[in-house]
Amino acid sequence: GLKLTQAIYNSAMIACLKDFKPEKVPELFEEMKSKGIVPDMINYMSLIYSYSEMKRSIDLMKLLTEMENSDNMKPNIRIYNAALGLCAKSSWFKKADEILRSMRKIGVFPNLKSYNLALESCVLGKGSNVSFQTVHFMEDMTSLGIKPDSKCYKNAIMSCAKAGDIETSMKYLDEMMTPGKIDLSYSDLAKALEGILSACSRCGEW
């Protein structure tokens, strides 16, 4: 019969994700382990993506912790960004902050995509800490020498505006529109302006 291998399970897991059947991936992952097949990084990546699609945050964070504590399967930047993608989809800005902190502890440094996803998690976030967390992400990335792009500014402006922090959103708008500072996307600018106008309307400032 056919000998089951990592590669075969990889193909099966990826097929499940493409067919919009993420719930099958954890089953395949456990099956391969029960057969004594050691999962590789692609298997773990598929599992992370399946948890992200199903919004299973507890399982995802547990898996990240297991990988961080392992000797031979440390999470890489793609694994962390997949986890941050779940935070972005679910507006979990506090979990995004936890992930950014934990990845640096094991020597994996966030990149521009990491911070874009973290900032995106703030856009629909709720609570008084949204604006504070947004500013923290922006300051954190610049402290690492990562230059915010047009999308970062759009997400930061929309997050602060939605939280009622119009002053900070206007500050980021000024930076975004500074000639030569970034490669400005007019689509991002339009969304940022829409966020500010909507916030001003709610606050009765305009």
Side-chain angles (χ1 to χ4, degrees), residues 83-92 96 116-118 120-122 124:
L84 287 166
L86 172 57
C87 296
K89 290 178 185 177
S90 307
S91 305
W92 292 329
N116 258 321
L117 291 168
E120 194 174 331
S121 73
C122 295
L124 295 178

Side-chain angles (χ1 to χ4, degrees), residues 11-44:
S11 297
M13 290 178 181
I14 292 170
C16 289
L17 291 172
K18 288 183 177 179
D19 290 341
F20 305 103
K21 297 178 181 178
E23 71 281 357
K24 297 291 184 183
V25 175
E27 296 175 13
L28 289 168
F29 190 85
E30 291 303 319
E31 179 184 304
M32 71 181 294
K33 290 203 300 182
S34 72
K35 295 182 181 297
I37 301 172
V38 179
D40 64 9
M41 189 61 76
I42 299 176
N43 297 132
Y44 276 101

Side-chain angles (χ1 to χ4, degrees), residues 37-193:
I37 301 172
V38 179
D40 64 9
M41 189 61 76
I42 299 176
N43 297 132
Y44 276 101
M45 179 72 74
S46 296
L47 185 59
I48 287 279
Y49 277 124
S50 75
Y51 286 156
S52 178
E53 288 297 315
M54 294 185 288
K55 296 187 177 182
R56 287 170 54 174
S57 63
I58 295 176
D59 290 326
L60 189 149
M61 295 302 287
K62 180 181 177 183
L63 180 62
L64 274 182
T65 300
E66 288 178 2
M67 294 181 73
E68 287 168 351
N69 292 331
S70 72
D71 294 326
N72 56 0
M73 197 57 66
K74 299 287 187 185
N76 57 24
I77 187 66
R78 293 182 64 193
I79 291 284
Y80 279 116
N81 282 347
L84 287 166
L86 172 57
C87 296
K89 290 178 185 177
S90 307
S91 305
W92 292 329
F93 57 89
K94 291 182 180 178
K95 285 192 182 297
D97 190 37
E98 289 177 23
I99 291 170
L100 288 171
R101 293 174 188 274
S102 64
M103 64 193 292
R104 287 161 70 173
K105 286 181 181 177
I106 67 164
V108 179
F109 285 89
N111 57 19
L112 180 60
K113 182 177 181 178
S114 308
Y115 282 102
N116 258 321
L117 291 168
L119 286 163
E120 194 174 331
S121 73
C122 295
V123 173
L124 295 178
K126 296 180 180 179
S128 58
N129 291 330
V130 172
S131 181
F132 172 82
Q133 191 67 65
T134 299
V135 172
H136 168 70
F137 287 147
M138 289 291 279
E139 290 179 346
D140 197 39
M141 69 185 297
T142 53
S143 73
L144 292 176
I146 301 172
K147 182 181 177 181
D149 64 1
S150 185
K151 186 177 180 181
C152 284
Y153 276 108
K154 176 205 70 175
N155 287 333
I157 291 166
M158 292 177 67
S159 299
C160 292
K162 188 173 183 295
D165 187 356
I166 297 173
E167 182 180 352
T168 302
S169 64
M170 291 298 293
K171 169 182 171 290
Y172 286 136
L173 180 63
D174 286 342
E175 291 182 15
M176 184 183 195
M177 296 182 67
T178 300
K181 187 174 182 65
I182 61 171
D183 184 9
L184 180 62
S185 160
Y186 288 100
S187 173
D188 289 337
L189 178 59
K191 290 178 182 177
L193 288 170

